[in-house]
Amino acid sequence: MYDTPFFDTFNAKHKSDEEIASTFVLPPSSLGKLLTKDHAILSGPRGSGKTTLLKMMTIPALNSWRDTEADSIKESIDFLSVFVAADRSWHGQLKRLTKQIPECEAAELLGMSAFT
C-alpha cells in the first residue's frame, strides 16, 4: 500500500529544528516540568507531542523559536538538551536479537516488552 505511513509525515522526527520552532505551541504545564534538573518521565499516546516537546528543548530549536514567552523561557534553562532519535537503532538491535530466538511467540513477546 504505502511505504511510509500517512501520519509519519506529521511526525516531529522528520522535521527540522526551524520547522519544530515555527509550529511549536507552548503547552500549559508540561514544558515547565521538563525545564528543571529533576528526573521526569514523559509519556503519552502516539501523536500527543512528546517528540516535538523534547526536540524543542534542544539549542538549535530554542534559538529558532520566536514567541512572546520564548526569551524568558530560554533564559530560565540552565542545562543543555540533546535529542537522540534512538528508535531506529533499537529497532535494528531488537530485530537481530529476536532472530536468535527460535519460538516466534517468545521473540515477539521480547520485542514488545522492550518498549513497555
Side-chain angles (χ1 to χ4, degrees):
M1 189 174 209
Y2 294 106
D3 288 338
T4 304
F6 175 74
F7 289 107
D8 273 359
T9 55
F10 300 107
N11 192 306
K13 70 181 175 185
H14 301 293
K15 294 189 175 195
S16 70
D17 298 316
E18 292 79 19
E19 288 174 304
I20 293 288
S22 69
T23 58
F24 184 68
V25 176
L26 187 64
S29 62
S30 305
L31 190 62
K33 292 176 183 176
L34 289 175
L35 296 179
T36 67
K37 291 181 181 177
D38 295 328
H39 297 284
I41 295 175
L42 180 61
S43 66
R46 183 179 176 151
S48 62
K50 300 176 301 290
T51 301
T52 299
L53 192 55
L54 293 174
K55 282 186 83 172
M56 191 60 213
M57 293 174 60
T58 64
I59 291 173
L62 286 169
N63 284 338
S64 299
W65 189 27
R66 307 288 177 253
D67 188 84
T68 54
E69 297 181 58
D71 289 336
S72 64
I73 290 172
K74 287 188 243 184
E75 288 175 11
S76 72
I77 299 172
D78 62 350
F79 59 87
L80 296 177
S81 176
V82 177
F83 181 81
V84 179
D87 56 339
R88 291 181 186 199
S89 174
W90 291 341
H91 174 74
Q93 291 171 0
L94 273 173
K95 196 170 191 174
R96 283 189 294 281
L97 179 63
T98 55
K99 284 183 179 180
Q100 298 174 20
I101 299 173
E103 296 112 22
C104 184
E105 198 172 301
E108 192 173 306
L109 183 60
L110 173 66
M112 294 296 289
S113 65
F115 292 98
T116 303

